[in-house]
Amino acid sequence: IVKGNLFAKFMEYTDVEVDGFVEADSAINCNVVSNDKVIFNGGHASIVGGKVYGCAGIEVQNLGNDAFIKTEVHVGVHKKIKIKIAELEKLVEQMLLNNINSGIKQIEQMMGSAADGMNLEEKKLALVRAKIEKTAELTEDKEELERLEGIVERSTGATVQVLEHVYPNVEVCINNSKLVTKEEFDKIEFKEKDKAVVMLSMK
């Protein structure tokens, strides 16, 4: 896992997950996940085999090869991110509700204890400490939620640009839409339109 951006030459038979963008010459049978853009530039830069995901888009010279090796590229919102966002939203909502209910309950206990001569100041301090702990947890989850929402924002309008050749047996996924190429094309951009992946000429 790479926290920032990744710059590489040739990647072969490797799995990599990058918070930032990826810029490389080629990837052969790799599983690459980027929370930004993936760019394979250079004279014969290519993606062959494996799966490459770039949330903000993919730009590559050649996609697949003349041996028709199955190659998958994905752009847009990765389903794992959608699941994680839903989980965090539920967790944050539940934590807020629990904090409120817990606070009310502790205040009620404090009020009852005060009549029995308990130290109200100590009770207040305990409540404040508990609130600080819960707030820290909540802040952490909110920050992660904001980070994931930023990824979703970057993925808006993401496309796959093939500057030279795209070969048969290439699977292009944009959000939840998919297209598998049946023949060879030159200079093509894959976009999502009406919940389907379409090809546009870049010539």
Side-chain angles (χ1 to χ4, degrees), residues 34-185:
S34 164
N35 291 331
D36 209 307
K37 198 163 189 177
V38 173
I39 300 171
F40 286 84
N41 51 22
H44 298 287
S46 58
I47 298 171
V48 179
K51 297 178 183 179
V52 175
Y53 165 69
C55 98
I58 294 174
E59 185 181 306
V60 62
Q61 296 288 329
N62 299 288
L63 193 50
N65 68 357
D66 52 13
F68 307 160
I69 291 174
K70 184 171 183 185
T71 304
E72 293 182 34
V73 288
H74 301 246
V75 299
V77 183
H78 199 283
K79 62 182 178 182
K80 286 198 294 187
I81 291 173
K82 284 183 175 178
I83 292 167
K84 187 65 177 173
I85 285 175
E87 286 174 354
L88 280 171
E89 282 176 342
K90 191 174 180 181
L91 190 63
V92 167
E93 186 182 340
Q94 190 61 47
M95 202 177 287
L96 282 168
L97 187 62
N98 287 344
N99 280 354
I100 292 166
N101 290 337
S102 176
I104 290 168
K105 190 176 179 181
Q106 288 187 54
I107 287 166
E108 286 172 347
Q109 287 174 346
M110 282 161 49
M111 289 172 72
S113 302
D116 300 329
M118 296 288 285
N119 190 328
L120 194 56
E121 283 303 316
E122 283 183 16
K123 292 285 183 181
K124 279 183 181 176
L125 283 171
L127 182 57
V128 168
R129 280 196 293 269
K131 185 180 178 182
I132 288 168
E133 284 178 21
K134 291 295 181 185
T135 302
E137 288 176 30
L138 190 59
T139 300
E140 198 174 296
D141 286 333
K142 279 184 173 178
E143 284 174 356
E144 176 64 5
L145 190 55
E146 284 174 12
R147 187 185 75 83
L148 294 176
E149 285 171 344
I151 293 170
V152 171
E153 195 174 326
R154 286 197 295 278
S155 74
T156 304
T159 68
V160 177
Q161 292 185 335
V162 183
L163 306 181
E164 291 299 330
H165 308 295
V166 56
Y167 294 88
N169 205 27
V170 169
E171 185 177 297
V172 179
C173 299
I174 302 178
N175 297 318
N176 296 318
S177 305
K178 182 171 76 173
L179 179 148
V180 179
T181 56
K182 304 295 184 187
E183 53 187 294
E184 185 176 339
F185 299 96

Side-chain angles (χ1 to χ4, degrees), residues 20-40:
F21 64 80
V22 174
E23 195 169 311
D25 282 351
S26 63
I28 298 173
N29 293 317
C30 295
N31 290 317
V32 178
V33 175
S34 164
N35 291 331
D36 209 307
K37 198 163 189 177
V38 173
I39 300 171
F40 286 84

